[in-house]
Amino acid sequence: MNPYDVIPLRAFRDNYIWTLRDSGHAAVVDPGDANPVLDYLRREKLELVAILNTHHHADHVGGNAELLKHYRVPVFGPHDPRIAEVTHRLADGERMTLPHFDLHFDVLEIPAHTRTHIAFFGAGMLFCGDTLFAVGCGRLFEGTPQQMHHSLSKLMRLPDATRVYCGHEYTLANIRFARAAEPDNSALRTLETRVQALRDQDLPTLPSDIAQEKATNPFVRCDIPAIIASASKYAGKPLADPVSVLAAIRDWKNNF
Ligand SMILES: [Zn+2]
C-alpha cells in the first residue's frame, strides 16, 4: 500500500474537510465547500478519487456538486435523498472500499444529530461528522438523547487508539463546558493546556482518539458520579440513568 496522509482542509469558520492523500490521489470527507478542495488538488497535483459524506447538512455536502463537475467520482453516503449526489448508499455494518487506496471502511449508523448520520471506520481512523466531537457531541437536530447515547456508546466500543476525525474545530469551547460539568477531572486540565497551545498557533486540535474521549468527554461519561451530580444540579432533580444525564448536559451546553 502507498503511504498516505490525512490532511485537514479548512472551510467556513470552523469546518474541516478531512482529505486522504497519497502521491497522486485524494479522497475527501464532507466537502461543504468545493473551493478549498479544488485549490489543494491543483496545488498538490492530485486527482480526486472519491467523496465521503457523513450527513446531509450543507456545510458537509455543499461542495459535492461542484467537485463532481471536475471529477467523476463515486460519492459514498447514507440512505438519505437529501444528499442527491450520493452514488453508493451505505447502511450499518456494510464495508466500503476506497478507490485507489487499499483502504476499507466499515459503516456505522449513528443517528441523533441527524436521522441518517453515518460514520466511516477503518485503518485506525474514524470519520464521524457532527456526532462525536473532541470533548463534545453534536446537537440533537433530528434525534433523541436516547439515540445520541446509543450512537456515542457504539463509537466508544471502537479500539482506544482509534483516531477521531470530527467535522469541526470546537475543542476549546467544549473543554470549557466540560470543566464546568466535571471540575475535578485532571485529564481535562491537561488537555486544555495542550489544546490552548495548539489554538494559539492556529493549529488543529484534531484528531482526537477514543481513549481521550473516554477520559474527557462529558457526553460519554454520563455514568460518572461527578457528571451525574452536576447534571442533576442543572436539572434541579436527581437523575439516575445515563440518558437523562445526557439530555440534561446537552440542554445545559446549548445554553452555556
Ligand atoms: Zn451537521
Side-chain angles (χ1 to χ4, degrees):
M1 183 174 61
N2 290 332
Y4 64 89
D5 285 327
V6 186
I7 307 288
L9 301 181
R10 295 177 186 214
F12 312 114
R13 208 163 71 91
D14 48 31
N15 283 72
Y16 290 127
I17 302 168
W18 293 107
T19 302
L20 284 92
R21 62 153 297 173
D22 62 14
S23 56
H25 304 97
V28 289
V29 182
D30 286 351
D33 183 359
N35 290 325
V37 178
L38 292 171
D39 289 347
Y40 182 77
L41 296 173
R42 282 191 201 110
R43 196 164 66 240
E44 298 288 320
K45 299 184 170 51
L46 302 174
E47 184 193 343
L48 189 69
V49 296
I51 297 171
L52 283 65
N53 289 154
T54 63
H55 68 295
H56 74 281
H57 285 158
D59 63 320
H60 293 254
V61 305
N64 283 356
E66 182 66 23
L67 290 174
L68 292 171
K69 285 183 197 163
H70 295 81
Y71 303 93
R72 288 187 56 182
V73 298
V75 183
F76 299 91
H79 285 273
D80 191 327
R82 293 175 293 187
I83 317 175
E85 299 86 10
V86 172
T87 57
H88 294 64
R89 298 203 183 265
L90 299 163
D92 196 60
E94 287 188 294
R95 174 171 285 193
M96 51 88 61
T97 300
L98 197 58
H100 284 278
F101 293 81
D102 188 21
L103 291 177
H104 307 279
F105 289 98
D106 293 318
V107 174
L108 295 94
E109 289 180 356
I110 47 169
H113 176 66
T114 72
R115 188 169 49 75
T116 59
H117 200 303
I118 60 171
F120 298 89
F121 168 65
M125 300 180 284
L126 174 71
F127 297 97
C128 53
D130 289 355
T131 298
L132 172 67
F133 292 121
V135 202
C137 76
R139 287 175 186 260
L140 302 174
F141 288 123
E142 298 180 358
T144 62
Q146 172 85 57
Q147 281 177 313
M148 183 56 89
H149 179 66
H150 187 258
S151 293
L152 293 177
S153 301
K154 199 164 169 177
L155 298 180
M156 290 306 115
R157 288 194 290 273
L158 298 174
D160 275 353
T162 304
R163 295 185 297 288
V164 176
Y165 295 91
C166 31
H168 291 269
E169 180 61 65
Y170 288 160
T171 314
L172 199 51
N174 286 348
I175 291 173
R176 296 209 167 115
F177 172 75
R179 289 199 59 184
E182 196 181 5
D184 294 331
N185 184 336
S186 62
L188 270 173
R189 281 198 292 276
T190 308
L191 182 64
E192 185 173 33
T193 305
R194 189 157 63 79
V195 162
Q196 183 68 63
L198 289 167
R199 296 310 296 150
D200 287 347
Q201 301 169 76
D202 201 25
L203 292 172
T205 65
L206 303 170
S208 172
D209 61 43
I210 296 293
Q212 177 183 303
E213 295 315 306
K214 285 178 178 169
T216 60
N217 190 325
F219 296 94
V220 306
R221 293 169 64 78
C222 292
D223 54 349
I224 302 282
I227 300 282
I228 297 172
S230 60
S232 299
K233 192 174 166 201
Y234 174 80
K237 60 180 180 186
L239 302 173
D241 65 293
V243 173
S244 309
V245 171
L246 189 150
I249 61 172
R250 185 60 268 179
D251 187 64
W252 181 9
K253 174 95 196 299
N254 291 350
N255 299 299
F256 189 69

